């Protein structure tokens, strides 16, 4: 049985899995997680912000933006990589770093952790 990571959902016709439909930034990730797709989720915030709220239960890893160029070897460029932060500014910079390093399977989720809390997991603490 697949685990559903979405709260407000409908059946996704394209992927035959629960999908968030209220926000255009999150459906692909929510569908992928529900299907069991291998997705590398990278949180580029600082450790003290990770301690407040994070997506570790969904497999996210913390690589602060300032450390990203030195830690590229921790990510497989062949896998889908999703970068996020609180609202999208830092993750946009992370996207650029990854793109310049030759990564092609990357996505920056606009709205960041706040959008996740609003659209997928309302129980997540906001700050």
């Amino acid at each position: 049985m697949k685990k559903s990571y979405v709260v407000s959902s409908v059946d996704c016709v394209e992927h035959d899995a629960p999908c968030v439909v209220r926000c255009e930034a999150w459906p692909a990730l929510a569908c992928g997680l529900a299907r069991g797709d291998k997705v590398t989720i990278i949180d580029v915030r600082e450790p003290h912000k990770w301690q407040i709220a994070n997506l570790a239960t969904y497999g996210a890893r913390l690589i602060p933006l300032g450390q990203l160029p030195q830690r590229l070897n921790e990510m497989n460029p062949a896998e889908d990589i999703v970068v996020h932060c609180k609202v999208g500014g830092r993750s946009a910079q992370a996207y650029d770093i990854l793109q310049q390093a030759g990564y092609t399977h990357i996505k920056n989720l606009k709205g960041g952790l706040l959008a996740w809390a609003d659209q997928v997991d309302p129980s997540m603490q906001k700050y």
Side-chain angles (χ1 to χ4, degrees), residues 29-124:
L29 179 58
C31 282
L33 290 172
R35 279 199 302 269
D37 290 356
K38 181 148 179 70
V39 179
T40 301
I41 305 170
I42 304 296
D43 186 330
V44 296
R45 298 172 303 142
E46 294 301 315
H48 66 279
K49 301 217 174 169
W50 168 273
Q51 294 301 318
I52 297 169
N54 62 65
L55 298 178
T57 29
Y58 305 98
R61 297 192 324 237
L62 175 67
I63 302 180
L65 182 62
Q67 297 175 13
L68 189 61
Q70 295 80 30
R71 295 178 64 183
L72 292 173
N73 63 338
E74 295 179 30
M75 293 168 280
N76 181 348
E79 291 179 2
D80 290 330
I81 299 171
V82 176
V83 291
H84 82 86
C85 59
K86 181 180 178 184
V87 294
R90 285 178 187 252
S91 57
Q93 293 175 48
Y95 179 94
D96 290 341
I97 290 168
L98 291 169
Q99 190 175 44
Q100 290 171 7
Y103 288 75
T104 57
H105 302 282
I106 49 176
K107 293 182 181 171
N108 172 26
L109 294 179
K110 72 179 174 182
L113 200 62
L114 292 181
W116 184 270
D118 288 341
Q119 302 296 323
V120 179
D121 186 358
S123 69
M124 177 173 283

